[in-house]
Amino acid sequence: MIGRILLQLAILLLFAPLLLGVITKTKALFAGRVGPPLLQPYFDLFRLWRKGFVISRTTTWVFLAGPVVGLVVPLLAAMLIPFGGLGAPISFSGDLILFVYLFGLARFFTAAAALDTGSSFEGMGAAREVTFACLAEPTVLFALLVLARGAGSLALGDLLGPQLAAQWHGNGGASLGLILVCLFVVLLVENSRIPFDDPNTHLELTMIHEVMVLDHSGPAFGMILYGAAMKLLVLGALLVRVALPVQTGSLLLDLLVFLAGLLGLAVLIGVVESTMARLKLPRVPQVLVGTTLLSIFALVLVLR
């Protein structure tokens, strides 16, 4: 058990920043540029952690709690889902509710840290982030209910277990295809990616997540970036497990398929960001309501 937890944590801690590097490299290739090296996110994190703290005297402990909770939550959430052939280190009935609300807890503290600065600009980003998250949450819950119906269990380890392959070949294939699309949209929303947000923008009218963390710097900002990278990997692991429920019996081979799936997902995100424009803000709720309806339809398909 201890060895499995350490291996899962090592994959999460070491592999997460690489996904950001792959996305950036893919976007650079689409734009006809060489782009930064694949390991640039690691260099950025190392540079930030070598700097000192700059904290406004008007803020309280909440300002630092945001980055800390944002870093710890993906570590805890990663213990609830299987990475390839590695089973979930922690599994119990109903842990899917904990998985969803762990990220809700991180969002609460990030928004609270933004409000703690007293800046109306950061408050605007917090309001937008919380609004979109409320609209994305039902999609995730209905998608997990579809998986729960197929597995006959409310534990994430069972939902993402070997029975997924049989579901794809049986009557549940259409439902799994629908929730895969819905979960990919939620992945883009939750990780502030184009077309819903832009992690590189600094325009007041379009900023959502980035505006909430403008006042953080040095190691605190490094924790935010590292936590965001791990969140991308954990939510991506959910998608990859649904899309590639490979269970060969060889732990090494299953892990290689899982990691290849994550890299493929990062390339897909880079392609989407290179070929799509950012949506107007009023369009974002419409898309999220559409994914909720799709996930409800997928649930109806497995209940019929």
Side-chain angles (χ1 to χ4, degrees), residues 107 128-138 189-190 288:
R107 187 177 304 109
R128 290 176 176 177
E129 172 98 356
V130 172
T131 302
F132 294 158
C134 288
L135 295 171
E137 222 166 62
V189 174
E190 287 285 336
L288 293 176

Side-chain angles (χ1 to χ4, degrees), residues 25 34 93 97 104 129 131 195 214-215 221 223 231 235 243 252 265 276 283 293-294:
K25 198 71 175 176
V34 175
S93 182
I97 302 295
E129 172 98 356
T131 302
L214 273 181
D215 278 18
F221 190 52
M223 283 191 280
K231 181 180 178 182
L235 293 179
L252 179 61
L265 180 65
M276 289 190 68
R283 298 292 182 201
L293 294 176
L294 268 183

